Structure formats: C-alpha cells, structure tokens
C-alpha cells in the first residue's frame, strides 16, 4: 500500500476530509498555497486545507465531511490524516457505492477504505458518477416506476438500487428484472 505525505498527497488521490472548526485551527502561516487559492498546513499526522472548493480538485477526488450545511464557494477548513489518502485514477475500478435508505442518501468510497466489505461492485470514476446520478433519481422520483406493478414503492426503490449496487446491474436491467 502506498504511503502519502506532504510531497505526494496531491497527486491522483481520493480522500475524505473532515471539517474542523475555524476556532480549533491554530496554525497561522500556510506551508503551501495553490494556484486556485487553497492553503495547506502540514503536520506529522496529516494536512489541514483551507479552501472554498471541494470534490474534484485537479486530478484528485477530495470530499469534505461537513459539520453543518455546506454551500459550494464557502471557505471551510478540513483535516485529513496521511493514512486517509488513497490512489485515484479515472479508469481503474476503485470505487463502491453506499446507500442510506433511511436518510435517502447515496455516496461513493474507495475500495481501500477499512469498512469496504467486498460485497458492493467496484466501478471506475465515470461509471460511479453515472450510477449515483441514476440512483438519486430512483430514490427521489416516481416516473421510472409508472409502468411497473407494485404495492410498496419504497421496497421497489430499494430492490432496484440493491441490484445496481451489489449485482452491478444497469438501471434498465434491474428494472426489467422486476417485470419478469
């Protein structure tokens, strides 16, 4: 497993950053400032990032786990340990999808994260994004189910999504599978 530090964490990585309160942030002068204005502070354990853009950063996929509602373009402080960085590229099947049906949310994670159980299908970055977009429609809309016979829409949603996440079925295949 590759190890990351201040010299390579910004090169083709995936990371979940945890927001920290500005009040808790004591470092004064940044060690590095990017062309886009993000500031970085390095410690032995990890790195702090002050930025107003998260998600896709150059060749990285960095997501901020926020303390409260976050609007893009708001400056937030995030922290990540060096062990929280994982390799990222656009073509390798590195990502799995998790759905929380109670909260009606869907997200993706890296296969090297300690909680990956090997059951969800791995996808590359573009397939993951496409599948998440479709799952969000299944979770939040009803049009996709209008020609299906069902008694429990929520159960139907869950069945379609589970086939996509764990069996690797396309939406069309998962939907057709219900008609049989």
């Amino acid at each position: 497993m590759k190890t990351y530090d201040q010299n390579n964490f910004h090169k083709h990585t995936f990371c979940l950053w945890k927001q920290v309160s500005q009040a808790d942030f004591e470092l004064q002068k940044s060690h590095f400032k990017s062309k886009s204005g993000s500031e970085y502070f390095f410690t032995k354990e990890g790195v702090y990032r002050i930025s107003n853009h998260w998600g896709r950063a150059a060749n990285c996929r960095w997501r901020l786990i926020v303390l409260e509602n976050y609007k893009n373009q708001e400056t937030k402080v995030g922290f990540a340990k060096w062990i929280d960085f994982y390799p990222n590229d656009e073509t390798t099947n590195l990502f799995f999808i998790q759905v929380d049906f109670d909260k009606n949310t869907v997200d993706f994670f890296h296969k090297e994260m300690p909680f990956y159980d090997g059951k969800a299908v791995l996808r590359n970055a573009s397939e993951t994004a496409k599948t998440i977009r479709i799952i969000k429609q299944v979770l939040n809309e009803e049009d996709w189910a209008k020609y299906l016979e069902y008694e429990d829409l929520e159960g139907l949603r869950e069945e379609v999504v589970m086939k996509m996440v764990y069996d690797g079925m396309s939406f069309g295949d998962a939907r057709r599978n219900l008609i049989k």
Side-chain angles (χ1 to χ4, degrees), residues 166-177:
Y166 292 104
D167 298 337
M169 287 186 178
S170 68
F171 170 70
D173 288 344
R175 195 170 176 275
R176 275 188 290 283
N177 191 270

Side-chain angles (χ1 to χ4, degrees), residues 36 38 50-54 70-76:
S36 62
S38 299
I50 298 177
S51 183
N52 69 347
H53 58 281
W54 298 86
Y70 169 72
K71 293 183 179 84
N72 206 11
Q73 302 303 310
E74 281 183 1
T75 299
K76 298 290 182 187

Side-chain angles (χ1 to χ4, degrees), residues 43-85:
T43 70
K44 190 186 308 184
E45 294 81 30
V47 57
Y48 288 90
R49 178 178 191 241
I50 298 177
S51 183
N52 69 347
H53 58 281
W54 298 86
R56 192 85 190 258
N59 54 37
C60 298
R61 293 185 182 275
W62 291 349
R63 203 163 63 233
L64 181 65
I65 300 171
V66 294
L67 298 172
E68 72 271 346
N69 289 337
Y70 169 72
K71 293 183 179 84
N72 206 11
Q73 302 303 310
E74 281 183 1
T75 299
K76 298 290 182 187
V77 180
F79 177 76
K81 295 180 181 178
W82 298 122
I83 60 170
D84 294 336
F85 289 90

Side-chain angles (χ1 to χ4, degrees), residues 64-168:
L64 181 65
I65 300 171
V66 294
L67 298 172
E68 72 271 346
N69 289 337
Y70 169 72
K71 293 183 179 84
N72 206 11
Q73 302 303 310
E74 281 183 1
T75 299
K76 298 290 182 187
V77 180
F79 177 76
K81 295 180 181 178
W82 298 122
I83 60 170
D84 294 336
F85 289 90
Y86 301 100
N88 178 49
D89 74 55
E90 297 302 305
T91 58
T92 306
N93 293 338
L94 296 173
F95 305 105
F96 68 97
I97 296 171
Q98 260 189 354
V99 179
D100 184 330
F101 292 101
D102 295 329
K103 294 180 182 175
N104 209 35
T105 59
V106 57
D107 236 322
F108 70 99
F109 300 93
H110 196 280
K111 71 177 185 175
E112 291 184 24
M113 297 189 91
F115 58 88
Y116 178 55
D117 61 8
K119 294 179 182 175
V121 170
L122 296 174
R123 294 175 171 84
N124 65 33
S126 65
E127 279 298 312
T128 300
K130 178 183 171 186
T131 304
I132 286 175
R133 219 173 12 260
I134 294 167
I135 289 173
K136 285 180 178 181
Q137 288 176 326
V138 171
L139 293 175
N140 297 305
E141 298 174 13
E142 295 179 16
D143 285 354
W144 64 271
K146 69 177 162 184
Y147 297 110
L148 295 174
E149 291 184 30
Y150 61 89
E151 292 178 22
D152 176 17
L153 180 59
E154 295 310 311
L156 186 67
R157 289 184 207 277
E158 192 168 329
E159 192 174 342
V160 168
V161 169
M162 297 296 269
K163 287 180 184 307
M164 293 173 69
V165 170
Y166 292 104
D167 298 337

